[in-house]
């Protein structure tokens, strides 16, 4: 009898991604060089992918640094490829400037620009169309957590913001409780595990094998001091880091959770 066909693909490495938000100018490029130098040291060899998502203005100058071991991502893209959309940036433009990924549906975009799941879903499609990895964010507000709606909220966001053909190769989920972002507050490891387990189950139900391998990042007040504990939680496959990604020292300290 012929051996059963192997259909399972290898799970991607964990991802540690830095979200610089609206911070950084060309004066900040030195931090990326420092980070690449630190990552190159043997004792820091991390078993994860490392990425920085700077403001779009810094993608091309960062690419020009050729910082080894540091991938680049955007922070948002328009759903269309090009056209009359003043101030917007398309997925193809991000790719052209050096990005291999883009954060989509971050809670700050959902709050500041009233982005809906439907719009986020269209952006995920645009990212895939341009060959970018979509890092799609979900997360509950403090009010929603307090009223016991966390799982309902994040599962609805997950359902509404992804299309059916997402794979582990082109999509990453980031769970970011809104109340933990930039606040210094983090959920307990039990709370993180509860949400990540629920997201994993929903992903497997919808995407099968691909859903089993899709990375689920935790984000919200991750620092060098709490990274190892959070990264050890089952179904946490990396992190999306805001404030602590702005300096090579702190971001490097977080990457060390995987060294
Ligand atoms: P923070 O932000 O690490 O500053 O809390 C995380 C994020 O918003 O991605």
């Amino acid at each position: 009898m012929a051996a059963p066909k192997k259909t399972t693909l290898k799970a991607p490495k964990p991802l540690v991604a830095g979200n610089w938000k609206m911070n950084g100018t060309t004066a900040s490029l030195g931090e990326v060089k420092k980070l690449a130098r630190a990552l190159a040291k043997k004792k820091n060899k991390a078993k994860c992918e490392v990425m920085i998502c700077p403001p779009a203005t810094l993608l091309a100058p960062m690419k020009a640094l050729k910082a080894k071991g540091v991938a680049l991502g955007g922070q948002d893209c328009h759903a269309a490829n090009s056209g009359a959309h003043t101030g917007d940036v398309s997925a193809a433009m991000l790719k052209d400037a050096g990005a291999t990924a883009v954060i989509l549906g971050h809670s700050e975009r959902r709050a500041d620009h009233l982005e809906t799941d439907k719009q986020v879903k269209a952006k995920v499609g645009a990212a895939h169309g341009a060959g970018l990895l979509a890092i799609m964010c979900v997360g509950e507000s403090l009010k929603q957590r307090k009223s016991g709606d966390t799982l309902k909220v994040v599962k609805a966001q997950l359902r509404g913001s992804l299309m059916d053909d997402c794979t582990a190769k082109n999509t990453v989920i980031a769970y970011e409780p809104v109340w933990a972002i930039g606040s210094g507050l983090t959920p307990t490891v039990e709370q993180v595990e509860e949400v990540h387990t629920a997201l994993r189950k929903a992903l497997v139900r919808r995407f099968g094998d691909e859903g089993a391998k899709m990375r689920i990042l935790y984000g919200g007040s991750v620092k060098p001091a709490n990274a190892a504990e959070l990264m050890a939680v089952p179904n946490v496959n990396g992190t999306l880091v805001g404030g602590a990604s702005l300096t090579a020292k702190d971001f490097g300290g977080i990457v060390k959770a995987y060294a």
Side-chain angles (χ1 to χ4, degrees):
M1 208 169 72
K5 230 183 171 173
K6 262 204 175 149
T7 52
T8 44
L9 67 129
K10 236 175 98 201
K13 278 188 193 173
L15 171 65
V16 175
N19 172 11
W20 278 22
K21 309 191 179 186
M22 200 171 73
N23 296 294
T25 61
T26 48
S28 328
L29 293 172
E31 291 301 321
V32 183
K33 283 198 233 168
K34 257 195 239 168
L35 178 68
R37 268 201 305 273
L39 294 178
K41 288 190 184 143
K42 223 180 180 167
K43 66 175 173 50
N44 293 340
K45 276 272 174 281
K47 293 169 211 65
C48 64
E49 289 176 22
V50 178
M51 178 183 290
I52 291 181
C53 303
T57 49
L58 286 182
L59 279 171
M62 267 191 200
K63 186 186 178 190
L65 294 177
K66 296 197 168 73
K68 222 173 143 228
V70 184
L72 301 177
Q75 299 177 9
D76 176 52
C77 70
H78 196 278
N81 278 334
S82 62
H85 303 287
T86 303
D88 278 314
V89 176
S90 75
M93 290 168 182
L94 294 175
K95 174 135 196 205
D96 182 52
T100 55
V102 58
I103 299 169
L104 294 170
H106 189 281
S107 62
E108 286 151 17
R109 301 275 329 162
R110 291 180 188 262
D112 294 354
H113 300 272
L114 306 178
E115 282 188 13
T116 62
D117 290 342
K118 200 170 158 215
Q119 284 167 320
V120 175
K121 182 177 178 177
K123 292 179 178 203
V124 171
H128 290 170
L132 295 182
L133 173 76
I135 303 173
M136 201 284 286
C137 307
V138 299
E140 83 287 3
S141 67
L142 190 56
K143 194 166 161 236
Q144 289 163 333
R145 172 153 293 268
K146 282 188 172 158
S147 58
D149 290 330
T150 299
L151 298 185
K152 198 176 91 193
V153 168
V154 298
K155 284 199 278 186
Q157 287 174 329
L158 192 74
R159 223 175 10 255
S161 308
L162 295 180
M163 61 283 291
D164 290 331
D165 59 358
C166 290
T167 68
K169 251 193 162 155
N170 67 18
T171 308
V172 168
I173 310 302
Y175 167 55
E176 298 203 309
V178 179
W179 52 274
I181 294 177
S183 64
L185 302 172
T186 48
T188 63
V189 289
E190 290 78 18
Q191 287 171 324
V192 173
E193 182 169 358
E194 184 190 27
V195 176
H196 280 243
T197 304
L199 291 173
R200 176 67 67 210
K201 278 190 190 151
L203 289 172
V204 170
R205 220 175 296 126
R206 184 160 173 199
F207 302 108
D209 253 16
E210 296 292 329
K213 293 179 176 68
M214 217 174 263
R215 289 169 286 186
I216 310 176
L217 315 183
Y218 167 77
S221 295
V222 175
K223 307 270 181 274
N226 62 16
E229 187 186 27
L230 289 162
M231 295 310 102
V233 175
N235 284 308
V236 172
N237 315 113
T239 175
L240 184 56
V241 184
S245 70
L246 293 171
T247 64
K249 189 168 173 277
D250 283 348
F251 198 45
I254 291 169
V255 173
K256 267 197 189 144
Y258 285 106

